Amino acid sequence: MAASKFPKSGDSNSHISSANHIEVTVADRPHPQDTPDNGRQCNDRPSRFSRSFAKILRKNQDYLQITISEPKLEQLPAEWWKTGVVFLWALLNLFLTTVMITVVHERVPDKSVSPPLPDKFFDFVSRKDWAFRVTEVNGMLLVTAWFLQWLFLKHKSIIGRRFFFLLGTLYLYRMVTMYITTLPVPSDHMNCAPKLEDDHLGRIHRIMQLFFGGGLSITGSHMMCGDFLYSGHTVMLTVTFLFIREYSPSSWYWTVYHLICWVLSAVGVVCILVAHEHYSIDVVVAYFVTTRLFWWYHTLANNQSLLDSPHNYLNKVWWRYFFRFMERNVRAVVPCVFSWPISLPRASFKIPCRRYSKVQIVREE
């Protein structure tokens, strides 16, 4: 192989200007006719074309040096299709939870047979009728606040699939716990809907009513019992506050916003117990499972070095395959950046006649 060489700046025949330069290398390739039939290659020598090209380069020694960098991979790709898949995961588990509630409802023992279990909180705080309405109103306020905040986040696709995955997984755990252990009603004030036994059409009607009513008592959709361990209301109050705080700035006015959301969440959780709608163990287990799952997931997501570490025992969780599916292409910590949910085209902000202003000025001159 041979390459054309340029004279150094100290040569008498070189006239290199101060302009930018381009480096060109010419490689000689042996032609088929230059190779003997017996397989031996001829001596390396520049071809006629390369010699002519080298002479032209020597006459014109002003050249440019062009550096082409390799395209960098996007660190935070949106991948909305993954968000859609995880949304179906959450929707499926929410629907299956309503199915499980109808199943467990048939197994709840009657109050005359199994009275409410003793609870230490109930011994000190008497029941208030209005308390559970406060819980559900606070829950709706937090869900609305989180939805509006999520809508204005720049990386809403990544954050959205994290929220849907955690929510679906928490309700999957809830299905398991309420099925394997059916607790009696926590208070005598609870009037459970009658059991349907073999009425399958009636069960389907209850499932649809509970699902589309959001499982709220104020909508009249929650009339069944048995879904005590653990509390779904505590899950929603806790997970929405955790996401609100995680994906918002830490300035002082946002701190006020965090404090308001924390008060709504804490008051809502306490009012569940004040209303005697759940045992204390239901609320404690719900809070523990929700916070630990949230912290474990975000510890893995925000520390890329842990993903391939052999000493990372968080990689042994059963949902690690779902995690890799969702976070495979997320190569950085998701920043808290806000943007408009709908981007208007730039052409709508331009004055139509501005592009012709220069032509008009030239004509007037």
Side-chain angles (χ1 to χ4, degrees):
M1 305 297 289
S4 61
K5 301 181 180 179
F6 298 95
K8 299 181 180 180
S9 59
D11 297 344
S12 59
N13 295 330
S14 64
H15 302 284
I16 300 177
S17 62
S18 60
N20 296 328
H21 302 318
I22 182 170
E23 298 178 353
V24 180
T25 302
V26 180
D28 295 336
R29 297 181 180 178
H31 297 282
Q33 64 270 18
D34 296 337
T35 305
D37 295 336
N38 56 3
R40 292 178 300 174
Q41 295 183 353
C42 299
N43 296 330
D44 292 342
R45 59 181 180 178
S47 64
R48 182 179 301 176
F49 174 77
S50 63
R51 291 196 300 269
S52 302
F53 190 66
K55 292 180 181 179
I56 295 173
L57 290 178
R58 292 191 186 96
K59 293 181 180 179
N60 304 293
Q61 294 176 356
D62 293 340
Y63 55 91
L64 297 172
Q65 183 175 2
I66 303 173
T67 303
I68 302 176
S69 60
E70 296 182 358
K72 296 182 179 179
L73 296 176
E74 188 177 358
Q75 291 187 337
L76 298 171
E79 297 180 313
W80 278 101
W81 69 274
K82 289 185 179 180
T83 307
V85 171
V86 182
F87 173 75
L88 294 178
W89 161 262
L91 198 65
L92 175 64
N93 283 293
L94 289 172
F95 179 77
L96 292 179
T97 301
T98 60
V99 176
M100 185 59 66
I101 292 174
T102 60
V103 173
V104 175
H105 175 76
E106 304 295 324
R107 296 168 42 187
V108 176
D110 190 77
K111 290 182 288 186
S112 60
V113 178
S114 296
L117 299 176
D119 192 286
K120 206 62 180 177
F121 187 90
F122 299 164
D123 295 339
F124 293 100
V125 180
S126 59
R127 178 181 175 273
K128 306 298 182 206
D129 295 336
W130 48 265
F132 201 61
R133 289 193 296 271
V134 173
T135 294
E136 295 189 333
V137 170
N138 288 6
M140 288 188 292
L141 290 175
L142 284 173
V143 170
T144 304
W146 165 239
F147 175 76
L148 294 176
Q149 178 180 329
W150 171 82
L151 199 63
F152 285 91
L153 288 170
K154 180 179 179 180
H155 304 288
K156 60 176 67 68
S157 176
I158 301 174
I159 300 170
R161 62 175 170 261
R162 290 177 178 179
F163 176 79
F164 292 135
F165 173 74
L166 294 183
L167 187 64
T169 305
L170 288 168
Y171 273 85
L172 175 64
Y173 290 162
R174 186 169 182 253
M175 279 190 289
V176 175
T177 55
M178 75 169 67
Y179 180 76
I180 60 178
T181 302
T182 304
L183 300 176
V185 294
S187 178
D188 291 329
H189 79 280
M190 301 186 72
N191 294 319
C192 303
K195 297 180 181 181
L196 298 177
E197 296 181 357
D198 295 332
D199 187 1
H200 300 293
L201 292 178
R203 288 189 180 185
I204 295 174
H205 175 73
R206 284 183 175 179
I207 291 171
M208 295 294 106
Q209 184 180 7
L210 183 62
F211 181 75
F212 290 104
L216 300 176
S217 298
I218 58 177
T219 59
S221 61
H222 202 329
M223 303 173 296
M224 292 174 286
C225 301
D227 57 330
F228 300 122
L229 188 66
Y230 47 85
S231 171
H233 287 74
T234 304
V235 168
M236 291 302 301
L237 290 166
T238 306
V239 74
T240 49
F241 168 72
L242 290 174
F243 272 90
I244 287 172
R245 186 183 61 181
E246 179 70 20
Y247 296 102
S248 57
S250 57
S251 54
W252 67 269
Y253 49 88
W254 281 96
T255 303
V256 176
Y257 171 63
H258 295 164
L259 181 60
I260 294 173
C261 293
W262 180 84
V263 170
L264 289 174
S265 178
V267 171
V269 171
V270 172
C271 285
I272 294 175
L273 299 176
V274 174
H276 292 195
E277 292 288 334
H278 276 279
Y279 292 103
S280 299
I281 189 62
D282 303 342
V283 174
V284 171
V285 171
Y287 172 80
F288 183 87
V289 174
T290 303
T291 53
R292 270 57 187 177
L293 183 61
F294 179 89
W295 292 334
W296 292 342
Y297 188 98
H298 284 79
T299 297
L300 288 173
N302 295 337
N303 294 274
Q304 298 291 327
S305 60
L306 291 177
L307 298 180
D308 299 324
S309 174
H311 305 292
N312 178 25
Y313 291 96
L314 292 179
N315 283 333
K316 297 183 181 295
V317 294
W318 67 268
W319 42 265
R320 61 187 180 275
Y321 302 107
F322 295 93
F323 177 86
R324 292 171 185 171
F325 165 74
M326 294 183 295
E327 305 287 340
R328 180 182 295 114
N329 298 325
V330 180
R331 300 177 178 87
V333 178
V334 179
C336 182
V337 181
F338 291 94
S339 63
W340 289 104
I342 301 176
S343 58
L344 298 176
R346 296 182 178 179
S348 60
F349 296 100
K350 295 181 180 179
I351 300 176
C353 298
R354 181 174 294 176
R355 66 181 65 181
Y356 303 107
S357 59
K358 293 183 179 181
V359 179
Q360 186 175 0
I361 292 172
V362 173
R363 286 185 174 181
E364 290 177 356
E365 292 180 353

